[in-house]
Amino acid sequence: MTSKRSRPRRVLRVVGRVFVGLVALVVVAVAVSGGIHRWQTTRDKDAIEAAIGSDHRYVEVDGHRMSVAVQGSGPRTIVLLPGLGTPEPILGFAPLARRLAEQNTVVTVENFGLGLSDGTDAPRTSEAIVDETRGALRELGLDGPYVLMPHSISGLYAMWWATHHPDEVAAVVGLDDERYTSGLAQDSPAWPGWMSAVTAVGGIRDLIALDKSTDYLGLVADYRQSLGAAAEYTPNQQDLYLRAYSWVLNPTMLDEAAREAENVRAAEGAVFPPTLPALSILASSSLTADPEWESSHRAAISNPSIQQVMVMDGHHYLFHAHAAAIAAQTERFLDDHVKVP
């Protein structure tokens, strides 16, 4: 007969075994998820390369592989620069790049940590990111001056480029690109470092798959709405674009996010050189989200005769749905203000 004294020990042993079993189950689940994620990521990247086609190539910059696409052979070189955390910039910019390439040479750059590019341990400062992009263009054999087309956070990098290497920049055409605002200059809570670990074991991939079927978070629906509104992305391209979110929350991108306020503060008071043509195409939704958005862009103007701000009705990723209008506006602006070499 079991004594009353031994019963608590038996209960503890049972609880301990259940706990160990649960831990083991979690470890196995994480290992399986991580294995599937690594296998599927390779397949997804191969599919993205196939979707991009012969325009895609890799260049080596600072010992790492950077993904770029080069289209067209026109006399002006336009460089498309992605926003923070854009999962697959070449696919995202594709309709706009295709139109611009009819009369220009167009380079779409996937910064380290984005798309098919490698990661890097180099701090994600404006100076570092600009120097890496300059290195990629040199590797491609494309000499400046360049027309920079930055989206979102890349507006900070374009401003750095234009003010520190003015001879390399022929014009800047911003796509709802970032400037100094008091809100953006405030340090925001950093993305937790464990997010990269969750990404590495397939957690983000699992979350996206769940959200696609339940729309619990609304993330997938938001990007599908933006992409789908353009009617220029096939269902396959949309799926590949969304799958790229599975690896974009990596240490390189998280460091760029953590340094955003630092890079914003570095742009405080910066204005375009008075001889530099500059056009900022702003999304109406951003003016609602940040009351300083439009005024901050107008504050960067030093010569109103060749530097302009216009507002377009649409989403922050306005080039998804308005590629044709943006390309036409860009061509008119460049024809008026940038001499063809």
Side-chain angles (χ1 to χ4, degrees), residues 25 57 60 111 152-153 230 248 259 292 321:
L25 184 62
R57 62 201 69 182
E60 184 171 315
N111 295 343
S152 197
I153 199 172
V248 78
R259 293 179 188 273
E292 296 180 53

Side-chain angles (χ1 to χ4, degrees), residues 64-301:
H64 302 283
R65 197 172 68 159
M66 181 176 285
S67 169
V68 300
V70 183
Q71 297 165 263
S73 56
R76 291 183 297 233
T77 299
I78 298 177
V79 184
L80 291 165
L81 304 170
L84 178 67
T86 299
E88 189 17 76
I90 293 174
L91 286 182
F93 277 128
L96 177 60
R98 184 172 62 249
R99 287 178 168 83
L100 292 172
E102 293 174 3
Q103 299 183 50
N104 308 278
T105 299
V106 180
V107 182
T108 305
V109 176
E110 298 193 327
N111 295 343
F112 287 139
L114 301 183
L116 302 177
S117 289
D118 289 346
T120 179
D121 293 332
R124 302 290 79 207
T125 62
S126 293
E127 181 178 10
I129 291 171
V130 168
D131 284 347
E132 290 160 2
T133 306
R134 295 169 67 218
L137 293 168
R138 286 194 298 269
E139 288 294 315
L140 291 168
L142 296 172
D143 298 322
Y146 312 105
V147 176
L148 305 181
M149 289 193 76
H151 173 239
S152 197
I153 199 172
S154 282
L156 302 175
Y157 313 148
M159 181 62 80
W160 177 276
W161 202 334
T163 54
H164 288 77
H165 305 285
D167 294 342
E168 298 179 6
V169 183
V172 176
V173 179
L175 305 173
D176 210 31
D177 55 327
E178 205 164 297
R179 293 286 185 278
Y180 174 89
T181 70
S182 59
L184 291 171
Q186 301 298 317
D187 286 309
S188 56
W191 288 68
W194 50 259
M195 285 298 298
S196 61
V198 171
T199 298
V201 298
I204 305 303
R205 182 180 294 280
D206 296 339
L207 185 62
I208 290 172
L210 176 65
D211 205 39
K212 284 175 69 174
S213 61
T214 65
D215 194 30
Y216 179 70
L217 298 175
L219 300 175
V220 171
D222 179 55
Y223 281 92
R224 280 209 184 280
Q225 181 179 12
S226 172
L227 290 167
E232 296 199 56
Y233 300 88
T234 67
N236 180 58
Q237 288 172 326
Q238 291 188 38
D239 282 339
L240 291 174
Y241 185 88
L242 291 167
R243 285 184 214 167
Y245 277 104
S246 301
W247 59 85
V248 78
L249 292 179
N250 54 68
T252 302
M253 197 287 289
L254 292 176
D255 186 64
E256 185 178 0
R259 293 179 188 273
E260 181 179 15
E262 172 188 338
N263 289 328
V264 168
R265 290 192 292 268
E268 184 175 8
V271 298
F272 289 117
T275 57
L276 179 71
L279 170 65
S280 296
I281 305 174
L282 308 184
S284 58
S285 62
S286 294
L287 272 63
T288 302
D290 188 340
E292 296 180 53
W293 197 251
E294 184 175 0
S295 61
S296 70
H297 287 77
R298 296 194 182 281
I301 291 176

